[in-house]
Amino acid sequence: MSTIEKTFGNGEIIIREGDAGNTFFQLLEGKAAVYKNYEEDDQVQVGTLEQGQYFGEMAVIEDYPRSATLVAEGDVKVVEIPAEALNEYFTQYPDKILEIMKLLGTRIKNMTNDCNDAKKALDDVRKSNSSNKYDGFFNQMVRQSIYLTSKNFRMEKPSAESLREAAETVSKQSSEKAETYNYGTIIFKQGEIGKCMYIIHGGSVGIYNNYGANDEVKIADITPVACFGEMGMLSGEARSATAVAEAGDTRVEIIRPEELESLFSDSPAKIDMILKNLSYRLRSITYDYFKICKEIYESTEKD
């Protein structure tokens, strides 16, 4: 397989923010510091990677520029996996499919929590018309990280083109394991523990908060071919919404974690589509978060 082991000495750059990425990595030995704006006046360290962790995977999944700079802390060894070798890598290490999906799922969950905290802080400031209300938010987060990434707001809203391409490929494949639901059938309920995810192949599915209650809110329409319910499966936590079939003969493929390896063997395009959906979701929530942080920064500047 065309993976490459590389070593780096203390202070050497492993990947640089803004560079095009067509490989991802697993940290085999040592630690790496994660920086935004590395070697600039407003450089800030936003994290540290430990042995066993992956990085750079989103650049491969979506052909997106590197979002941060990683610098070796002491002696570091990594394995580098080129994009064209990803299927080969999963064939040799099929257990890594779920591992990487869970990694993306954890990042989505954490960023969603950060974004919700930022929204609350921003609402408080708008009501009081004073940036003093931001103090609690800044204390809870890492103030310099928020400040600097907001000041240097460079993120663009992600394109859904990769999702469309992935869905097109999957739409050409048959789905013998799909189940058919009648109009109005509840596929899963808010509050239930998520044990599987779904790919819709026909019909439509509505995603609701507080389904059937007076304060019911529809938050998404799912149409072929798309994934839904993946976050519940990856986290094993309670579903955050209810999914309802909204057309007769709605065909849905059910995917369980233990089936991901065989699914990859039968249809690597479906695994690719799931990964692209997770990556797009993470980029979207990160964009929203940065946008809120930018408004926070601009409001503090006015004061």
Side-chain angles (χ1 to χ4, degrees), residues 17-241:
E17 181 179 358
D19 285 354
N22 61 359
T23 61
F24 74 105
F25 304 81
Q26 185 178 25
L27 190 57
L28 299 179
E29 297 176 9
K31 295 181 180 181
V34 185
Y35 290 94
K36 297 291 292 184
N37 309 325
Y38 186 65
E39 295 179 328
E40 298 179 21
D41 292 340
D42 50 6
Q43 164 186 307
V44 62
Q45 183 174 343
V46 295
T48 302
L49 295 181
E50 307 279 349
Q51 181 176 324
Q53 290 184 280
Y54 288 92
F55 58 95
E57 71 286 343
M58 284 169 61
V60 171
I61 294 168
E62 285 202 73
D63 189 23
Y64 211 83
R66 304 291 189 193
S67 60
T69 297
L70 268 73
V71 180
E73 290 191 336
D75 293 332
V76 167
K77 181 187 285 187
V78 302
V79 60
E80 183 177 21
I81 303 109
E84 62 270 17
L86 186 58
N87 282 354
E88 190 180 348
Y89 179 73
F90 283 156
T91 299
Q92 187 166 347
Y93 304 105
D95 57 307
K96 301 299 184 184
I97 297 171
L98 182 58
E99 192 174 329
I100 290 174
M101 285 184 182
K102 283 185 173 181
L103 167 67
L104 290 170
T106 298
R107 290 181 181 173
I108 291 168
K109 179 183 175 182
N110 292 340
M111 183 54 68
T112 299
N113 291 338
D114 288 349
C115 194
N116 288 337
D117 286 341
K119 286 177 182 176
K120 289 176 184 176
L122 187 55
D123 285 344
D124 285 343
V125 171
R126 285 170 174 167
K127 289 173 185 175
S128 67
N129 198 30
S130 169
S131 64
N132 292 334
K133 286 284 187 178
Y134 286 125
D135 290 345
F137 170 72
F138 281 133
N139 290 336
Q140 183 178 349
M141 318 304 260
V142 182
R143 177 165 186 152
Q144 281 194 329
S145 173
I146 303 299
Y147 176 89
L148 291 167
T149 53
S150 302
K151 184 179 65 174
N152 297 284
F153 183 69
R154 299 167 182 167
M155 178 167 280
E156 295 180 358
K157 193 172 182 66
S159 166
E161 184 61 29
S162 64
L163 299 185
R164 289 190 288 270
E165 292 173 353
E168 243 180 67
T169 302
V170 172
S171 69
K172 298 171 185 175
Q173 301 178 353
S174 61
S175 177
E176 298 174 358
K177 295 182 180 179
E179 296 189 3
T180 302
Y181 296 98
N182 295 324
Y183 174 81
T185 300
I186 294 175
I187 300 170
F188 61 74
K189 286 184 178 180
Q190 185 174 342
E192 291 179 342
I193 300 300
K195 297 180 180 179
C196 59
M197 63 167 291
Y198 305 84
I199 297 177
I200 181 170
H201 293 278
S204 66
V205 172
I207 307 295
Y208 292 86
N209 278 333
N210 305 320
Y211 182 70
N214 290 334
D215 57 348
E216 170 188 302
V217 177
K218 189 175 190 179
I219 56 177
D221 287 297
I222 312 297
T223 55
V225 174
C227 309
F228 64 100
E230 66 273 18
M231 287 298 296
M233 181 190 80
L234 294 173
S235 68
E237 296 177 352
R239 303 282 191 189
S240 60

Side-chain angles (χ1 to χ4, degrees), residues 244-271:
V244 184
E246 297 202 318
D249 297 328
T250 292
R251 291 192 308 113
V252 173
E253 182 176 358
I254 300 171
I255 299 169
R256 296 174 176 82
E258 62 271 19
E259 298 170 344
L260 288 171
E261 295 181 19
S262 59
L263 179 66
F264 175 74
S265 298
D266 297 337
S267 177
K270 289 180 182 177
I271 296 296

